[in-house]
Amino acid sequence: MVPTILIVDDERHTREGLMQVLEDSYDIYLAENAEEAFNLMESEPFEVILTDLRMPGKSGMKVIDKALGLASRPPVIMMTAYGDVDSAVEAMKRGAYDFLTKPVNLEKLEILIKRALKSKNLETEVAQLHERLDVKFNFEGIVGNSAELVKVIDRVKLVAPSRASVLIEGETGTGKELIAQAIHQNSNRAKGPFVAVHCAALPAALLESELFGHEKGAFTGATERRIGRFEMAEGGTLFLDEIGEIDLSTQVKLLRFLEQRTFERLGSSKSIKVDTRLVAATNKNLLDMVAKGDFREDLYYRLNVVQIRMPSLADRAEDLPLLLNHFIKEFAAENEMEPPTFEPGAIQALRRYGWPGNIRELRNFAENSVVMHRSGTIHDYDLDSKFRGEGPSVDGSGKIVSPLDKEENEKRLLREALADARGNRTRAAALLGISRRTLHRKLQQWPELDVVDR
């Protein structure tokens, strides 16, 4: 969009003259006094305001005050007579971006406007960055600022204050429990308990008792009454991980709870009502299970009031350096060791890798790196072969490159040869069947492939 500029000056020829100079590059609005400027500021957003200091009625100082009170806080450039520089300095202390003496030097004016716009854009970017950081630090343990993760966080913000049931879908190791905790922590139930049950870890015969509790004598070995996880989560959130693993009989009781907010302990006919919110997660396609008769359709729709889809690590590869740094610091502190550092080539190789185990696999890799490398520097040739040979080729911006791209294939061969030769250029050239001089020329062309010559 074309930037909008408001020019405020009581002298008509000054206003219109400045408009003629600037209107080819900017969308110009004119005001002959402060009151008219106030009305325009209320109705239109401006990127820059250019105002005379001394005008009949309210002065340019009031224009500054009004501009600084707007949510967008547009930069204000003052125009003043040569002998009134002290007032212009006072205006800058008040918040003006800069000032010009009359008659206005048009070349300097255009430079100031460009600088003001650049400064405004930078402020906007910083504000957006702080917003991203707030997102990250308000959600404990959730690290990253990729577009895919931000979408998830935005949905968490919307659903957390409600009572709606949530179904979190995604591959194993993508952080579904962290998102469930974030929903709980950002809800009005945050002071209540967060109770997690990993359904796949419990045999079907024990899961129903674990969830709903049992009375004494309900089954062999039930020597005393035991409350279940639904009662334990009263006033808070119950998280059922791998919900696709529960059997059909337990599904019936779960459906009843979602419909009536009541359940019965095993061995009892007394209904118990609890105020517990349910968040479920799965790495399976529940609709496929519904089609096969393995999961109740009515339960699926009761669970899936709000759906959150967790991206795989491959889908948010730009977050990998942040996540890796987070885990490296965590394990370095835990083991009282200095953290290793990663060369750019190693980071590129890790981003190209497919990470089938997702964040859980990356966390394991980070712990291994801390323990095995102990404050050393990790190059791409220090990585296991799986990190250097699997997955699609990715360029510097994270985009997948066509396997038919000749230049990228040549880069890949050079990178692999240097890794296999542990940075020794003579050996790498021999592996490629080219001269060292040719290799040197290629590395001058693509310096990002170079590693330390050993």
Side-chain angles (χ1 to χ4, degrees):
M1 293 178 63
V2 177
T4 55
I5 295 178
L6 172 61
I7 299 174
V8 189
D9 198 299
D10 61 308
E11 296 177 7
R12 178 180 176 182
H13 72 275
T14 300
R15 294 194 308 271
E16 294 181 352
L18 291 173
M19 181 177 71
Q20 289 176 7
V21 172
L22 300 172
E23 64 184 353
D24 287 342
S25 301
Y26 306 103
D27 192 5
I28 305 298
Y29 287 73
L30 301 179
E32 62 178 318
N33 55 52
E35 290 292 347
E36 190 176 340
F38 294 169
N39 292 333
L40 285 169
M41 281 189 265
E42 291 289 344
S43 60
E44 298 289 340
F46 294 102
E47 274 72 32
V48 175
I49 295 175
L50 181 63
T51 183
D52 192 13
L53 180 58
R54 296 196 179 276
M55 297 179 290
K58 294 179 180 177
S59 71
M61 294 291 190
K62 296 298 183 181
V63 176
I64 294 175
D65 294 341
K66 179 68 174 179
L68 293 178
L70 298 173
S72 59
R73 293 175 62 89
V76 181
I77 299 173
M78 301 295 300
M79 296 181 294
T80 183
Y82 181 76
D84 207 11
V85 173
D86 288 343
S87 296
V89 172
E90 178 61 31
M92 290 185 65
K93 290 180 180 178
R94 204 153 174 163
Y97 177 76
D98 211 327
F99 73 93
L100 290 165
T101 56
K102 289 184 173 182
V104 173
N105 182 313
L106 297 178
E107 184 177 351
K108 186 175 181 181
L109 171 62
E110 292 198 41
I111 291 172
L112 273 182
I113 290 174
K114 288 178 181 177
R115 286 179 180 171
L117 287 170
K118 187 175 182 180
S119 175
K120 179 62 180 173
N121 290 337
L122 182 60
E123 286 180 9
T124 301
E125 290 173 5
V126 169
Q128 290 173 346
L129 176 60
H130 279 299
E131 186 178 346
R132 286 281 182 88
L133 290 174
D134 288 343
V135 166
K136 182 173 72 175
F137 291 119
N138 283 340
F139 293 84
E140 186 178 357
I142 302 173
V143 177
N145 54 23
S146 64
E148 292 296 322
L149 184 61
V150 170
K151 288 178 185 176
V152 170
I153 297 301
D154 287 344
R155 287 184 74 81
V156 169
K157 285 181 176 180
L158 288 172
V159 73
S162 73
R163 295 176 57 89
S165 300
V166 182
L167 179 63
I168 307 171
E169 297 183 326
E171 297 174 8
T172 298
T174 52
K176 296 188 289 292
E177 184 166 347
L178 281 176
I179 295 301
Q181 289 173 345
I183 292 170
H184 172 73
Q185 290 165 2
N186 290 276
S187 72
N188 56 8
R189 298 172 176 268
K191 293 182 180 179
F194 176 85
V195 179
V197 179
H198 297 276
C199 301
L202 294 169
L206 295 178
L207 181 60
E208 186 176 353
S209 171
E210 190 70 25
L211 293 178
F212 303 106
H214 61 256
E215 298 290 342
K216 180 179 180 180
F219 52 84
T220 303
T223 57
E224 59 184 5
R225 172 189 287 178
R226 181 181 177 184
I227 67 170
R229 299 298 181 95
F230 273 95
E231 289 177 84
M232 291 171 62
E234 166 74 33
T237 303
L238 177 64
F239 173 56
L240 298 184
D241 197 9
E242 304 306 346
I243 190 75
E245 301 295 331
I246 64 174
D247 63 6
L248 290 171
S249 63
T250 306
Q251 289 179 34
V252 172
K253 294 195 72 169
L254 187 56
L255 177 64
R256 179 183 175 186
F257 169 78
L258 289 171
E259 290 177 338
Q260 303 177 11
R261 298 292 162 179
T262 62
F263 65 91
E264 298 166 359
R265 296 194 193 105
L266 268 69
S268 172
S269 58
K270 180 182 177 181
S271 292
I272 299 172
K273 188 176 183 67
V274 292
D275 178 24
T276 300
R277 183 185 194 170
L278 189 63
V279 177
T282 182
N283 64 353
K284 293 186 174 182
N285 188 320
L286 293 186
L287 278 177
D288 285 350
M289 295 182 65
V290 168
K292 295 175 183 177
D294 296 328
F295 201 87
R296 293 182 63 100
E297 184 177 19
D298 46 6
L299 176 58
Y300 171 77
Y301 288 111
R302 283 287 185 178
L303 290 170
N304 194 24
V305 176
V306 175
Q307 183 185 71
I308 295 177
R309 179 74 189 177
M310 286 301 297
S312 67
L313 184 52
D315 289 334
R316 46 181 289 218
E318 60 265 48
D319 285 337
L320 187 141
L322 285 172
L323 285 162
L324 180 60
N325 183 58
H326 173 78
F327 291 137
I328 288 292
K329 286 182 177 179
E330 176 187 331
F331 289 117
E334 184 179 300
N335 290 281
E336 298 182 349
M337 294 177 177
E338 288 296 317
T341 58
F342 289 80
E343 286 291 311
I347 295 294
Q348 288 179 14
L350 294 173
R351 287 187 64 175
R352 286 193 301 270
Y353 176 61
W355 297 100
N358 290 295
I359 297 172
R360 188 174 295 149
E361 183 181 3
L362 178 64
R363 194 172 190 276
N364 178 271
F365 167 80
E367 184 173 16
N368 177 277
S369 298
V370 169
V371 173
M372 301 305 294
H373 290 274
R374 302 193 179 211
S375 78
T377 299
I378 300 176
H379 299 266
D380 56 352
Y381 49 71
D382 293 318
L383 302 173
D384 288 347
S385 59
K386 71 175 183 178
F387 295 114
R388 294 190 279 117
E390 295 183 5
S393 180
V394 178
D395 66 14
S397 66
K399 291 178 64 178
I400 296 177
V401 177
S402 167
L404 300 178
D405 190 307
K406 181 179 178 181
E407 182 177 300
E408 287 300 323
N409 279 323
E410 188 174 358
K411 284 183 179 181
R412 178 178 56 79
L413 291 172
L414 285 169
R415 188 185 298 111
E416 290 177 356
L418 284 163
D420 290 340
R422 298 185 65 79
N424 186 299
R425 294 184 181 180
T426 301
R427 196 180 310 152
L431 289 170
L432 290 166
I434 60 177
S435 68
R436 181 184 168 91
R437 176 175 291 184
T438 299
L439 178 63
H440 179 70
R441 189 171 68 252
K442 293 292 185 183
L443 292 179
Q444 284 183 318
Q445 181 183 354
W446 301 314
E448 71 273 14
L449 303 181
D450 202 5
V451 294
V452 178
D453 193 352
R454 296 188 173 186

